Amino acid sequence: QVQLVQSGAEVKKPGASVKVSCKASGYTFTSYYMHWVRQAPGQGLEWMGIINPSGGSTSYAQKFQGRVTMTRDTSTSTVYMELSSLRSEDTAVYYCARDLGEQQLVLGWFDPWGQGTLVTVSS
Amino acid sequence: DIQMTQSPSSLSASVGDRVTITCRASQSISSYLNWYQQKPGKAPKLLIYAASSLQSGVPSRFSGSGSGTDFTLTISSLQPEDFATYYCQQSYSTLAFTFGPGTKVDIK
């Protein structure tokens, strides 16, 4: 079955960077785009950006431009999201989520999702 | 960015009730509207895509309708496992996806 497994929780100091991984299995990794979405404690969902696992091209939400980098490793079917210059407002659960569009079509329908990675930013 | 609003922000209902949640977009998004269910401590789950299409494996008591700016999610007969928070999301603005603030459904 399609599964996305994310790395474990992280605690970072303000100004540091964090890199979260998302390992995919159960489907052809390079055929589906991957999104990153975050959720601050008790808050709603916020789309951060998308990566094409085939060619590695990316597109980021304007809010995160310059601070986020999404990469992939096709040999391990893993995508990564790195967020730099962390501040307390970045404390959130970060999710990867596969786009449902086949053959590299972006539909913006997110399914499935990873289990989430809690990133805590605190001095 | 397209702004999404939901109403109500929360509701209390009983098992067996018919529940309706409304989502509104700040501009027309045709039928590019999706619904997700999220339970505490869990990742969201896709319920409905393209306004009215039921995702595989989702019970038929869930349905979606609407187009343009106004959409609804209906649960025809609320079950114990349906108590959760529901989010709408627009996929009209490609690469600038946005979610509604959520509607929490809890037990009356």
Side-chain angles (χ1 to χ4, degrees):
Chain A
Q1 76 284 18
V2 177
Q3 195 172 11
L4 304 175
V5 178
Q6 299 183 221
S7 49
E10 303 262 13
V11 179
K12 296 293 182 180
K13 293 194 182 301
S17 297
V18 68
K19 192 171 186 177
V20 179
S21 68
C22 169
K23 183 174 176 60
S25 62
Y27 70 97
T28 302
F29 176 68
T30 52
S31 292
Y32 296 82
Y33 281 75
M34 195 77 77
H35 303 265
W36 287 90
V37 177
R38 77 176 186 180
Q39 185 172 37
Q43 302 301 307
L45 300 163
E46 181 175 35
W47 182 78
M48 299 180 68
I50 186 173
I51 182 168
N52 178 353
S54 178
S57 61
T58 56
S59 182
Y60 305 134
Q62 192 167 7
K63 175 176 179 176
F64 300 101
Q65 290 273 3
R67 280 210 305 146
V68 69
T69 304
M70 297 176 188
T71 57
R72 95 292 189 215
D73 181 345
T74 56
S75 68
T76 59
S77 298
T78 302
V79 296
Y80 300 90
M81 186 285 300
E82 184 171 21
L83 189 62
S84 62
S85 302
L86 290 169
R87 35 210 188 227
S88 59
E89 310 90 89
D90 295 317
T91 294
V93 176
Y94 290 77
Y95 293 102
C96 58
R98 194 190 73 166
D99 196 284
L100 262 182
E102 296 184 25
Q103 299 304 317
Q104 300 190 354
L105 174 67
V106 179
L107 291 174
W109 309 343
F110 306 154
D111 185 74
W113 297 56
Q115 83 276 20
T117 297
L118 175 62
V119 175
T120 302
V121 183
S122 174
S123 56
Chain B
D1 285 0
I2 298 173
Q3 306 303 315
M4 308 300 294
T5 57
Q6 289 182 233
S7 61
S9 57
S10 66
L11 66 90
S12 296
S14 301
V15 173
D17 283 353
R18 181 181 183 88
V19 169
T20 298
I21 298 168
T22 298
C23 176
R24 178 165 289 173
S26 60
Q27 66 181 73
S28 177
I29 57 170
S30 185
S31 296
Y32 293 87
L33 191 283
N34 313 305
W35 290 97
Y36 298 84
Q37 176 193 66
Q38 186 178 35
K39 297 181 179 180
K42 300 294 186 182
K45 171 188 171 184
L46 178 65
L47 298 177
I48 302 281
Y49 60 90
S52 60
S53 295
L54 198 65
Q55 171 64 342
S56 176
V58 174
S60 59
R61 63 181 179 272
F62 290 94
S63 64
S65 65
S67 66
T69 59
D70 295 321
F71 303 86
T72 59
L73 172 70
T74 299
I75 309 172
S76 60
S77 177
L78 197 67
Q79 297 302 299
E81 60 268 30
D82 300 337
F83 292 96
T85 300
Y86 294 85
Y87 294 93
C88 62
Q89 173 241 335
Q90 63 82 16
S91 49
Y92 176 86
S93 185
T94 307
L95 307 184
F97 305 109
T98 49
F99 293 85
T103 295
K104 184 177 181 181
V105 177
D106 62 20
I107 302 172
K108 194 172 195 177

Coordinates of all heavy atoms in Angstrom, one line a residue, chain B residues 9 11 16 26 28-29 31 35 42 47 49 57 64 67-68 73-74 80-81 83 87-88 108:
Chain B
S9 N -17.6 27.4 12.8 CA -16.2 27.0 13.2 C -16.2 25.7 14.1 O -15.2 25.0 14.1 CB -15.5 28.1 14.0 OG -16.3 28.5 15.1
L11 N -19.3 22.7 15.9 CA -20.7 22.3 16.1 C -20.7 21.1 16.9 O -19.8 20.3 17.0 CB -21.4 22.1 14.7 CG -20.9 20.9 13.9 CD1 -21.7 19.7 14.2 CD2 -21.1 21.3 12.4
G16 N -26.2 9.9 14.5 CA -27.4 9.8 13.7 C -27.8 11.1 13.1 O -28.7 11.1 12.2
S26 N -13.0 33.1 -1.7 CA -13.0 34.6 -2.0 C -13.2 35.0 -3.4 O -13.5 36.1 -3.7 CB -11.7 35.2 -1.4 OG -10.6 34.6 -2.1
S28 N -14.4 32.9 -7.5 CA -14.9 31.6 -8.1 C -13.7 30.6 -8.3 O -12.6 31.0 -8.8 CB -15.5 31.9 -9.4 OG -15.9 30.7 -10.0
I29 N -13.9 29.4 -7.8 CA -12.9 28.3 -8.0 C -13.5 27.1 -8.8 O -13.0 26.0 -8.7 CB -12.3 27.9 -6.7 CG1 -13.4 27.4 -5.7 CG2 -11.5 29.0 -6.0 CD1 -12.9 26.7 -4.4
S31 N -15.1 24.0 -9.6 CA -15.3 22.8 -8.7 C -14.0 22.3 -8.1 O -13.9 21.2 -7.7 CB -16.0 21.7 -9.5 OG -17.3 22.1 -9.9
W35 N -12.2 18.3 0.4 CA -12.5 18.2 1.8 C -11.6 17.2 2.5 O -11.4 16.1 2.0 CB -14.0 17.8 2.1 CG -15.0 18.9 1.7 CD1 -15.7 19.0 0.5 CD2 -15.4 20.0 2.5 NE1 -16.5 20.1 0.6 CE2 -16.4 20.7 1.8 CE3 -15.1 20.4 3.8 CZ2 -17.0 21.8 2.3 CZ3 -15.7 21.5 4.3 CH2 -16.7 22.2 3.5
K42 N -3.6 13.1 14.4 CA -3.4 12.3 13.2 C -3.3 13.2 12.0 O -3.6 14.4 12.1 CB -4.6 11.4 13.0 CG -4.8 10.4 14.1 CD -3.7 9.4 14.1 CE -4.0 8.3 15.1 NZ -2.8 7.3 15.2
L47 N -11.3 13.2 1.9 CA -12.7 12.7 1.8 C -13.3 12.8 0.4 O -13.9 11.9 -0.2 CB -13.6 13.3 2.9 CG -13.3 13.2 4.3 CD1 -14.3 14.0 5.1 CD2 -13.3 11.7 4.8
Y49 N -13.0 15.1 -3.4 CA -12.2 15.9 -4.3 C -13.1 16.4 -5.4 O -14.2 15.8 -5.7 CB -11.0 15.2 -4.8 CG -11.3 13.9 -5.6 CD1 -11.5 13.9 -7.0 CD2 -11.4 12.7 -5.0 CE1 -11.8 12.8 -7.7 CE2 -11.7 11.5 -5.7 CZ -11.9 11.6 -7.0 OH -12.2 10.4 -7.7
G57 N -12.7 4.4 -0.7 CA -12.7 3.9 0.7 C -13.5 4.8 1.7 O -13.6 4.4 2.9
G64 N -20.4 15.8 -1.0 CA -20.0 17.2 -1.2 C -20.8 17.8 -2.4 O -21.2 17.1 -3.3
S67 N -20.3 24.8 -6.4 CA -19.4 25.2 -7.4 C -19.4 26.7 -7.3 O -20.2 27.4 -6.7 CB -19.9 24.8 -8.8 OG -21.1 25.4 -9.1
G68 N -18.3 27.3 -8.0 CA -18.2 28.7 -7.9 C -17.5 29.2 -6.6 O -16.3 28.9 -6.4
L73 N -20.2 20.3 2.7 CA -19.9 18.9 3.0 C -21.1 18.4 3.9 O -21.4 19.1 4.9 CB -18.6 18.8 3.8 CG -18.3 17.4 4.3 CD1 -17.9 16.4 3.2 CD2 -17.1 17.5 5.3
T74 N -21.6 17.3 3.5 CA -22.8 16.8 4.3 C -22.4 15.4 4.8 O -21.9 14.6 4.0 CB -24.0 16.7 3.5 OG1 -24.4 18.0 3.1 CG2 -25.2 16.1 4.3
P80 N -20.0 7.6 15.3 CA -19.0 8.0 16.4 C -17.6 8.3 15.8 O -16.9 9.2 16.4 CB -19.0 6.7 17.3 CG -20.3 6.1 17.1 CD -20.7 6.4 15.6
E81 N -17.2 7.6 14.8 CA -15.9 7.8 14.2 C -15.8 9.1 13.4 O -14.7 9.5 12.9 CB -15.4 6.6 13.4 CG -16.3 6.3 12.2 CD -17.4 5.3 12.5 OE1 -17.9 5.3 13.7 OE2 -17.8 4.6 11.6
F83 N -16.5 12.2 14.5 CA -16.1 13.3 15.3 C -14.7 13.7 15.1 O -13.8 12.9 15.4 CB -16.4 13.1 16.8 CG -17.9 12.9 17.1 CD1 -18.5 11.7 17.1 CD2 -18.7 14.1 17.2 CE1 -19.9 11.5 17.3 CE2 -20.1 13.9 17.4 CZ -20.6 12.7 17.5
Y87 N -11.7 20.2 7.0 CA -11.1 21.3 6.3 C -11.4 21.3 4.9 O -11.4 20.2 4.2 CB -9.5 21.3 6.4 CG -9.0 21.5 7.8 CD1 -8.7 20.4 8.6 CD2 -8.7 22.8 8.3 CE1 -8.1 20.6 9.9 CE2 -8.1 22.9 9.5 CZ -7.9 21.8 10.3 OH -7.3 22.0 11.6
C88 N -11.8 22.4 4.3 CA -11.9 22.5 2.9 C -10.6 23.1 2.3 O -9.8 23.7 3.1 CB -13.1 23.4 2.4 SG -13.0 25.1 3.0
K108 N -22.5 16.0 21.1 CA -23.5 16.8 21.9 C -23.7 16.2 23.2 O -23.9 15.0 23.3 CB -24.8 16.9 21.1 CG -25.7 18.0 21.6 CD -26.9 18.1 20.6 CE -27.7 19.3 20.7 NZ -28.7 19.4 19.7

